[in-house]
Amino acid sequence: MMGGWFGATAIGNKLVSVGGYLWGDLPLWVVWGVFIILCLLSALFMFAMMKRLEKVA
């Protein structure tokens, strides 16, 4: 489980760098729009997984 935690943290830190790549090339509102869309997608994924996890637990 510890390895999974560190792996998820590493992937999350790598995905944060997407904002840095987009920052210089696109307008600021597009960069924040990408962040908002990604946050909403991750929230939907988490809520979908919660139902399955509640069934198992």
Side-chain angles (χ1 to χ4, degrees):
M1 291 307 293
M2 231 14 217
W5 178 265
F6 286 135
T9 303
I11 291 169
N13 287 335
K14 184 65 176 171
L15 289 176
V16 167
S17 67
V18 170
Y21 293 132
L22 295 176
W23 192 267
D25 297 335
L26 298 173
L28 186 60
W29 66 272
V30 174
V31 175
W32 281 107
V34 169
F35 281 146
I36 290 170
I37 290 170
L38 290 176
C39 286
L40 291 174
L41 288 174
S42 65
L44 288 173
F45 177 74
M46 286 189 280
F47 283 123
M49 291 303 293
M50 269 189 354
K51 291 179 183 179
R52 293 182 185 169
L53 289 175
E54 287 175 355
K55 287 180 185 177
V56 174

